[in-house]
Amino acid sequence: MSIIETEATLHAAHRDNHTHRDVNGGWLRPAVFGAMDGLVSNLALMTGVAGGSVSQQTIVITGLAGLAAGAFSMAAGEYTSVASQRELVQAELDVERRELRKHPVDEMEELAALYVARGVEPALAREVAMQLSRDPEQALEIHAREELGIDPDDLPSPTVAAVSSFASFALGALLPVLPYLLGASVLWPAVLLALVGLFACGALVARVTARSCWYSGLRQLVLGGAAAALTYGLGALFGAAV
């Protein structure tokens, strides 16, 4: 009885702890990339303009224009990219579906050969392939996973990618503008808030990717700060020249 209870406990612990994060979803990459891009690009844009010694109103308009243009650009790009990817996958699935309909025996043998190549005994591999091929939709799913490396039921959504990219970019790009909208008249509050946002975004990404929060946060802070400093210097140089 104690052995059975121990094994049951181990199985339960394995079931509870053996979970994985979503690595194929269509929201994470565009959301993370959008927020980082919004922060860095709009901060760099605003500091570059501020380096040219322009008015506060010009900096605010520049920041809001950068927010709107970047958010729509990111959303359109992500939608087109993911939609094109889905269309390519669907085209390949149609090819595989036709092959399964026209040459079912050859496709079954092909699947059996894949299992043999992975170490399954030929007789068993052929039996497994035969059983899996009885259902055409199941056979299509198996062939898609084995030959194309995709899951037909878990393709990224263009709409999800576009919306998450738009929202995350807009949120990131808003941070450098926010101090001005709240009454700030100098650049440093916008830079400070943006750098804090960069560190927070990096730390948040680390919680998803299991990397160090400090490493990921500081990496984003340094990269964003370097971009802002460079564009500020260029703005000051060009402003003085003009």
Side-chain angles (χ1 to χ4, degrees):
M1 178 64 69
S2 60
I3 295 177
I4 296 177
E5 289 178 351
T6 300
E7 290 181 348
T9 301
L10 289 173
H11 287 312
H14 175 76
R15 183 188 64 244
D16 294 338
N17 295 324
H18 193 73
T19 57
H20 297 283
R21 291 178 289 271
D22 178 18
V23 296
N24 293 320
W27 66 271
L28 179 60
R29 184 184 63 84
V32 171
F33 180 72
M36 297 298 182
D37 192 24
L39 267 167
V40 174
S41 63
N42 220 30
L43 174 62
L45 179 64
M46 291 174 63
T47 53
V49 172
S53 300
V54 299
S55 66
Q56 174 187 345
Q57 183 181 17
T58 301
I59 297 175
V60 174
I61 293 174
T62 300
L64 292 176
L67 185 157
F72 281 110
S73 177
M74 286 286 294
E78 282 294 335
Y79 186 90
T80 302
S81 174
V82 176
S84 299
Q85 179 185 357
R86 283 183 65 96
E87 291 165 1
L88 175 60
V89 170
Q90 292 297 342
E92 292 300 314
L93 289 176
D94 288 340
V95 171
E96 193 65 34
R97 189 179 285 108
R98 287 195 300 270
E99 290 299 313
L100 284 168
R101 185 174 62 252
K102 293 179 180 179
H103 309 286
V105 176
D106 291 337
E107 289 295 315
M108 184 188 68
E109 293 294 342
E110 187 178 85
L111 187 60
L114 286 172
Y115 292 139
V116 170
R118 295 186 178 183
V120 180
E121 294 181 358
L124 179 58
R126 196 171 190 283
E127 179 63 26
V128 170
M130 186 180 301
Q131 293 187 25
L132 292 176
S133 300
R134 290 174 181 172
D135 182 355
E137 288 303 314
Q138 177 178 259
L140 176 63
E141 181 178 335
I142 296 297
H143 279 273
R145 288 178 175 175
E146 295 293 340
E147 297 179 28
L148 303 176
I150 60 173
D151 184 352
D153 297 325
D154 192 27
L155 298 179
S157 166
T159 302
V160 171
V163 171
S164 62
S165 183
F166 181 94
S168 59
F169 185 99
L171 181 61
L174 179 63
L175 286 184
V177 189
L178 192 58
Y180 284 101
L181 297 179
L182 296 178
S185 58
V186 291
L187 182 62
W188 70 263
V191 174
L192 179 61
L193 182 59
L195 293 179
V196 170
L198 282 168
F199 181 86
C201 283
L204 182 61
V205 171
R207 293 183 62 86
V208 178
T209 60
R211 295 294 299 269
S212 167
C213 292
W214 285 102
Y215 171 81
S216 184
L218 288 173
R219 178 178 60 184
Q220 296 303 327
L221 188 151
V222 169
L223 292 175
L230 178 61
T231 53
Y232 183 87
L234 291 174
L237 178 63
F238 295 148
V242 174

